Amino acid sequence: MSQYDINTPRSTRAVTHGLPARAGLGLKPDYFQPLAKGCDDLGFIEIHAENYMVAGGPFHYYLERLCEHYALSIHGVGMSIGAEGALDTEHLQRLNVLLARYQPASFSEHLAWSTHGPCFLNDLLPLQYDQQTLNRVCEHIDQVQNTLGRRMLLENPATYLQFNASTFDEPTFIREVVRRTGCGMLLDVCNVYVSCINHQWSTQEYLQALPLHETAEIHLAGFSEAFDRNGQRLLIDSHSAPVAAAIWSLYQQILEHTGPVATLIERDNELPGLAVLLAEARRAQAYLDNHGVQP
Amino acid sequence: MSNKLNTLSLSATALTLALTSALSLVTLPAHAADDMEKCFGVAMKGKNDCAAGAGTTCAGTSKVNDQANVFKLVPKGTCEKTASSTSPTGYGQLMAFKPKM
Amino acid sequence: MSTQQRFTQALLSAEQTFPAGLFCHPDAESRFAVYRNNVFSSLTSALADSYPVVAQLVGAEFFAFMARVFIQTFPPCSPVLVNYGNAFADFIDTFSPAASLPYLADMARLERLRVEAYHAADFPGVGFEALSRFLEYPEQLHSLHLKLHPGTGVLCSSRAVFSLWAAHQGQGELAEVDPNHAEHLLVLRDALNVEVLLLSKACALFIQALQGGAGFGDAVCAALEEDNAFDAGPALALLIQKNLIIHAGLSEAS
């Protein structure tokens, strides 16, 4: 019998309600050992669900230990909520097993699609914002929330293209999804900024149209910069750089509306030493502390 | 299976001797929990990410070698240092990669 | 054709087609290319993480090219990417630009075994005492069934993949390896650590037979057919020492 029997939920671990309004960090194997000792700078850690859909070994060994020190956020990257086809129920079941085992304080997914037919494309692809898509996304979120028996958070996307046939603007579409499904919002500040620059939208108008009071988690990340062939600025959501100045200032502005909210430093590529990311986490924590109690 | 081997391997004495010798060779105790990670060094990365891939627009627009060019592309990694008894130079595999056009 | 179907086909097409008319940008094509790059770049990185020595053997440019053809031919069919690349070794076998590296596909097989060992389910090894008690039943040892840890893999190669792999870990000189020398190896996980060990062919056959459900007697027999001097003692000791025997019983089902 496996010491990590995936069919046995952790009945001894208390179910928590939401992430603490503190700074957190995306967990990478490079940081397993240093973080396993505990670290006061972090209130939570976040994992990508799909990376932990493995039977055993170091990933589960360390995650078990890390959960003794930090609240856990499980962030899905492969559910393909916006897919034209039906949700992959096998994948949803895998997710259910993972959540039953770790009882995370939060589960989130993306407003995007990444599968078509049997094919998984491993990128968060953009949606055509129309009534049909809205209905489908809401049905899929209902299905996820009903299967998992919990509220999920939906993350706003970073996009490089807009569809001709869209009839909603992005924040209005998100507001509708949140209103109809009761899901919460994972506000990725970097994605807001990247999309607004890429499509020449106003960040102020974008934020005003979002249901900011439903924000249960914030992501902060760096981006990289390019130009399209028309010479227009094109930002890429690369998660490979420190959190940019523009993102920090947008973040402080958002906190004015949301009050303190769990905030993740998200770095997936060009990983620096842990100390560099912990310094960013402390900076986020300082802004959180400045915003005191939730209004 | 030959009769000779049957006699050899199926003998209860031979198997008992093998198990006895195996157990006598095992000297280390099983891992204590604290020993689990003692020499854990190589961390395999998680393969699922939610970030954009490396490179930007240019990488996605540049056309890759078409079929005609396939044979121009040859391995250029450490294989060049690999001794080969079949290669006239004793080194490298690049000889085999002469364009076939 | 649906929007997402058009999008998918254009992303994966070898001709790098573009689904014109869907988007409202003066330069939608270069923006679409960002997504195409994300797909190929992220999947190529996933493969390079799983197959680091294959990547070193061929170099980054060739690896990216080989990965691109693989991704176009066999895109992932599950969002769990750790399993992506199961078919990579068989693909390399048929990939003619790599034909002059006859050890490349087996190197991919070795590296796949390492990934599988790393993430395999956790089982404690049966202890010394549990195995000792079978000495009381000498007449039944023939049908002693030893179940091995799921992270255990055996590879029998007609090439020197162990030595080539070891040379990329700083053990031995690459230039001194004769790649055409057959080698047999064991991939295992002991606690949290994945190890690769060189085996004799007889020992490899012994472990493979156990994995295939053969009893102790038949497994020893399979090894003796290869080498009549095979000594099962050290082979069994290795399995015990590395905690690879996770169940022992006198019938397969027990």
Side-chain angles (χ1 to χ4, degrees):
Chain A
M1 174 63 45
S2 163
Q3 81 189 91
Y4 307 128
D5 186 349
I6 55 170
N7 295 314
T8 312
R10 279 291 170 119
S11 52
T12 50
R13 189 175 292 148
V15 179
T16 47
H17 298 283
L19 293 167
R22 294 186 57 196
L25 184 64
L27 180 63
K28 300 288 160 191
D30 287 355
Y31 309 137
F32 279 165
Q33 284 180 311
L35 288 181
K37 297 179 181 83
C39 169
D40 294 338
D41 294 332
L42 300 177
F44 73 102
I45 52 171
E46 185 163 289
I47 59 162
H48 291 161
E50 286 71 11
N51 286 333
Y52 289 79
M53 291 179 179
V54 294
F59 278 38
H60 287 297
Y61 176 87
Y62 281 104
L63 188 54
E64 287 274 347
R65 271 139 199 86
L66 289 164
C67 283
E68 291 164 12
H69 297 285
Y70 316 95
L72 177 66
S73 163
I74 294 189
H75 187 50
V77 298
M79 189 48 78
S80 200
I81 295 273
E84 283 168 358
L87 286 189
D88 179 347
T89 51
E90 202 181 314
H91 191 60
L92 191 50
Q93 271 318 312
R94 277 193 291 261
L95 190 61
N96 205 9
V97 168
L98 188 72
L99 265 61
R101 174 170 172 177
Y102 288 102
Q103 305 277 332
S106 171
F107 169 70
S108 50
E109 251 288 355
H110 296 85
L111 178 61
W113 63 284
S114 53
T115 56
H116 185 73
C119 222
F120 175 68
L121 296 157
N122 196 36
D123 192 27
L124 299 165
L125 300 167
L127 289 168
Q128 183 170 300
Y129 296 127
D130 58 18
Q131 192 61 43
Q132 202 187 345
T133 309
L134 178 63
N135 295 342
R136 195 176 65 234
V137 165
C138 290
E139 279 166 29
H140 286 169
I141 291 177
D142 287 343
Q143 190 184 348
V144 170
Q145 295 188 137
N146 289 335
T147 306
L148 302 180
R150 65 190 296 154
R151 184 193 199 208
M152 63 163 273
L153 310 182
L154 186 69
E155 178 177 342
N156 58 299
T159 58
Y160 313 106
L161 282 170
Q162 284 184 81
F163 288 86
N164 281 325
S166 285
T167 53
F168 292 83
D169 61 57
E170 190 169 281
T172 306
F173 189 91
I174 292 171
R175 198 180 61 217
E176 273 307 293
V177 172
V178 168
R179 188 183 66 78
R180 283 174 51 172
T181 64
C183 75
M185 204 167 58
L186 193 177
L187 181 60
D188 189 312
V189 181
C190 184
N191 289 358
V192 170
Y193 187 74
V194 163
S195 292
C196 286
I197 296 290
N198 288 350
H199 306 305
Q200 297 175 300
W201 301 334
S202 148
T203 49
Q204 299 309 315
E205 285 172 22
Y206 188 102
L207 290 171
Q208 274 162 21
L210 282 178
L212 287 180
H213 56 283
E214 298 291 354
T215 308
E217 186 185 345
I218 288 175
H219 276 182
L220 301 177
F223 51 80
S224 55
E225 195 147 359
F227 293 90
D228 74 5
R229 276 203 219 110
N230 266 21
Q232 211 185 91
R233 213 171 152 214
L234 189 62
L235 303 186
I236 314 283
D237 183 35
S238 60
H239 298 184
S240 64
V243 177
I247 305 300
W248 284 119
S249 77
L250 208 48
Y251 172 56
Q252 292 174 78
Q253 198 190 318
I254 288 165
L255 287 180
E256 301 285 345
H257 296 273
T258 61
V261 173
T263 300
L264 185 86
I265 303 297
E266 197 180 28
R267 185 76 170 256
D268 289 311
N269 294 313
E270 317 269 333
L271 293 183
L274 181 60
V276 174
L277 296 181
L278 291 179
E280 288 190 308
R282 283 194 298 272
R283 183 168 174 187
Q285 188 63 54
Y287 294 138
L288 287 170
D289 294 342
N290 282 343
H291 284 85
V293 209
Q294 198 146 357
Chain B
M1 199 181 295
S2 73
N3 283 334
K4 183 187 134 213
L5 287 176
N6 264 329
T7 328
L8 265 176
S9 64
L10 296 182
S11 135
T13 318
L15 292 177
T16 307
L17 276 173
L19 181 54
T20 309
S21 115
L23 290 168
S24 71
L25 288 168
V26 176
T27 50
L28 290 180
H31 285 277
D34 289 349
D35 282 348
M36 282 282 281
E37 54 192 295
K38 198 168 60 184
C39 37
F40 174 78
V42 184
M44 220 165 264
K45 287 183 196 160
K47 312 288 190 269
N48 282 90
D49 248 335
C50 60
T56 53
T57 50
C58 305
T61 40
S62 63
K63 302 274 180 196
V64 212
N65 309 52
D66 57 26
Q67 276 315 97
N69 285 331
V70 159
F71 295 101
K72 283 184 185 165
L73 200 65
V74 298
K76 280 176 191 156
T78 49
C79 71
E80 291 173 66
K81 297 191 194 80
T82 311
S84 165
S85 54
T86 53
S87 154
T89 59
Y91 280 90
Q93 311 299 323
L94 299 182
M95 297 298 290
F97 268 100
K98 275 189 178 158
K100 295 178 183 173
M101 287 164 287
Chain C
M1 202 189 289
S2 77
T3 304
Q4 290 183 5
Q5 192 173 357
R6 287 187 65 196
F7 205 109
T8 304
Q9 282 187 2
L11 279 178
L12 294 176
S13 85
E15 293 76 33
Q16 305 201 344
T17 54
F18 167 67
L22 288 180
F23 314 109
C24 52
H25 301 269
D27 179 27
E29 193 165 358
S30 70
R31 287 163 174 258
F32 185 80
V34 175
Y35 290 107
R36 183 189 288 118
N37 177 59
N38 289 349
V39 170
F40 283 96
S41 158
S42 66
L43 291 174
T44 301
S45 308
L47 288 171
D49 286 342
S50 291
Y51 300 97
V53 177
V54 169
Q56 288 173 63
L57 279 167
V58 299
E61 190 196 9
F62 189 91
F63 188 84
F65 163 66
M66 184 162 72
R68 176 172 282 269
V69 180
F70 177 73
I71 294 161
Q72 278 164 344
T73 320
F74 303 103
C77 48
S78 162
V80 184
L81 280 185
V82 68
N83 300 320
Y84 186 53
N86 277 335
F88 197 46
D90 289 348
F91 165 82
I92 292 173
D93 267 331
T94 65
F95 187 65
S96 58
S100 65
L101 307 181
Y103 45 80
L104 198 63
D106 275 351
M107 184 60 75
R109 291 188 177 94
L110 186 166
E111 298 202 290
R112 170 53 45 187
L113 290 176
R114 291 189 76 249
V115 174
E116 284 169 7
Y118 189 88
H119 294 296
D122 304 285
F123 289 94
V126 301
F128 182 92
E129 276 109 56
L131 288 164
S132 310
R133 93 187 143 85
F134 291 102
L135 287 171
E136 293 165 27
Y137 311 97
E139 299 302 327
Q140 293 175 59
L141 279 183
H142 180 90
S143 54
L144 174 63
H145 283 272
L146 302 171
K147 190 174 178 202
L148 300 189
H149 192 284
T152 311
V154 172
L155 180 65
C156 292
S157 176
S158 57
R159 311 288 170 175
V161 282
F162 174 84
S163 300
L164 289 172
W165 183 82
H168 286 84
Q169 319 305 315
Q171 298 159 31
E173 278 299 316
L174 191 56
E176 284 162 18
V177 177
D178 171 9
N180 295 315
H181 172 70
E183 282 181 349
H184 312 275
L185 57 90
L186 176 69
V187 178
L188 64 96
R189 196 181 81 226
D190 184 17
L192 297 181
N193 302 290
V194 175
E195 297 177 31
V196 184
L197 303 174
L198 188 63
L199 298 178
S200 68
K201 186 173 182 189
C203 189
L205 293 173
F206 169 69
I207 298 172
Q208 269 185 332
L210 292 177
Q211 281 185 308
F216 185 42
D218 287 345
V220 172
C221 199
L224 285 168
E225 278 193 53
E226 167 61 29
D227 173 8
N228 61 18
F230 173 72
D231 183 355
L236 196 54
L238 172 73
L239 298 180
I240 301 168
Q241 195 122 18
K242 297 290 183 186
N243 296 301
L244 299 185
I245 300 174
I246 60 168
H247 180 82
L250 290 172
S251 70
E252 203 174 344
S254 68

